[in-house]
Amino acid sequence: MRKTNLPASHRGRTPGAPTRNTAPASLSDEGAAAPGDWGLTLNEKAYQRLEELIVTLQLAPGSVVSEASLSALIGIGTTPIREALQRLSREHLVQILPRRGVVVTQIDLRRQLLVLETRRELDRLIARLAARRATVAERQRMATIARQMARAVKAGAVADFLQCDAEMNAMAAHAARNEIAAQSVAALHAVSRRFWFFHQAVWPGTERTMQLHVSLAEALASGVEAAAVAASDALIDDLDSFSRSTVAP
């Protein structure tokens, strides 16, 4: 396996990215904190940044990297990098090879379909609980994310959209106040986002899929459980159709 030459900046254009407005814009408008401003620990920041690099293919499937190269790339020490890689390994985004490095896993349709099968039940549970249990402040934040998502859809800004999606997933999981469900589903969302990002450029329904995410965010913000569950099911139905469409006829 060949070592990947890591880019000087991890904001470069990537395979599968749209041709316009892909550089993530600030999500801190409307008085809300951007995802990177949540007071995260170094371990959490390392995980968040590495996950973004993998999901957006800036660390390409099959790439071989090292703790040292990743530390230099994102400016965080090797101990948090090591912890983040352990978590990413559990989520099947990397494979750790002792004394050889770390391999970014390949994108796998079979795994994606299994992920969606599992996500359907967990996402439905989290949607129902989050709609029921979210505080007023959390609903307001969800509404803000929904507006940010809608702007990203209108602009065709897929990288911005993915940032919003990651924050919305975290917000819904927190608002559900069920840490078992939250921990279980967190390992699935990044795998699913990477699969979608890899194939979305050739999927004619990309804008519809993005809009279904907006609808889910709006339903969660509304606090109506039935609407949130229905929106969650509609999104998974669409993602399942999308995933199956990637198989050559």
Side-chain angles (χ1 to χ4, degrees), residues 133-142 221:
R133 296 174 176 172
T135 65
V136 172
E138 287 167 344
R139 294 191 204 290
Q140 290 172 343
R141 180 59 190 149
M142 290 174 184

Side-chain angles (χ1 to χ4, degrees), residues 1-247:
M1 289 176 288
R2 180 173 57 86
K3 291 273 186 178
T4 296
N5 293 323
L6 297 175
S9 167
H10 66 270
R11 293 296 187 186
R13 189 170 183 272
T14 60
T19 57
R20 57 195 176 101
N21 197 22
T22 59
S26 171
L27 299 180
S28 58
D29 60 336
E30 303 185 48
D37 295 331
W38 286 359
L40 301 176
T41 67
L42 277 179
N43 287 358
E44 291 166 336
K45 287 180 180 178
Y47 169 79
Q48 186 182 79
R49 294 180 190 178
L50 292 180
E51 185 209 61
E52 180 186 359
L53 290 173
I54 293 170
V55 166
T56 58
L57 309 179
Q58 294 172 71
L59 291 178
S63 299
V64 182
V65 295
S66 67
E67 292 176 4
S69 64
L70 293 174
S71 176
L73 177 64
I74 68 174
I76 293 178
T78 56
T79 298
I81 294 290
R82 187 175 304 117
E83 293 297 321
L85 289 172
Q86 291 291 337
R87 180 175 171 184
L88 291 165
S89 176
R90 292 192 296 271
E91 296 177 1
H92 305 286
L93 289 173
V94 302
Q95 181 183 7
I96 299 173
L97 304 176
R99 297 179 297 279
R100 295 177 60 191
V102 178
V103 182
V104 179
T105 57
Q106 297 291 343
I107 293 173
D108 182 346
L109 173 61
R110 178 181 176 277
R111 180 172 295 280
Q112 168 71 354
L113 294 176
L114 292 174
V115 162
L116 291 176
E117 183 176 72
T118 309
R119 269 191 61 185
R120 182 180 295 277
E121 304 305 323
L122 288 174
D123 281 10
R124 182 184 289 145
L125 173 64
I126 287 174
R128 182 171 66 252
L129 294 179
R132 181 190 308 166
R133 296 174 176 172
T135 65
V136 172
E138 287 167 344
R139 294 191 204 290
Q140 290 172 343
R141 180 59 190 149
M142 290 174 184
T144 296
I145 297 171
R147 291 192 292 272
Q148 292 168 342
M149 276 186 167
R151 287 198 295 271
V153 173
K154 185 176 181 180
V158 175
D160 284 1
F161 169 80
L162 286 174
Q163 282 193 352
C164 290
D165 183 45
E167 184 180 359
M168 191 66 213
N169 289 338
M171 177 64 70
H174 176 74
R177 288 168 174 79
N178 182 323
E179 63 184 32
I180 303 301
Q183 290 169 2
S184 298
V185 80
L188 306 177
H189 281 152
V191 172
S192 190
R193 282 200 307 276
R194 182 174 69 145
F195 186 95
W196 181 82
F197 188 84
F198 183 79
H199 291 287
Q200 55 81 27
V202 296
W203 169 240
T206 291
E207 185 172 340
R208 181 184 67 245
T209 302
M210 294 167 75
Q211 186 56 53
L212 286 170
H213 282 82
V214 176
S215 297
L216 175 57
E218 291 172 341
L220 288 167
S222 76
V224 179
E225 292 181 38
V229 171
S232 177
D233 284 345
L235 175 58
I236 296 297
D237 286 343
D238 184 79
L239 291 173
D240 185 81
S241 296
F242 161 73
S243 299
R244 294 178 189 279
S245 77
T246 64
V247 180

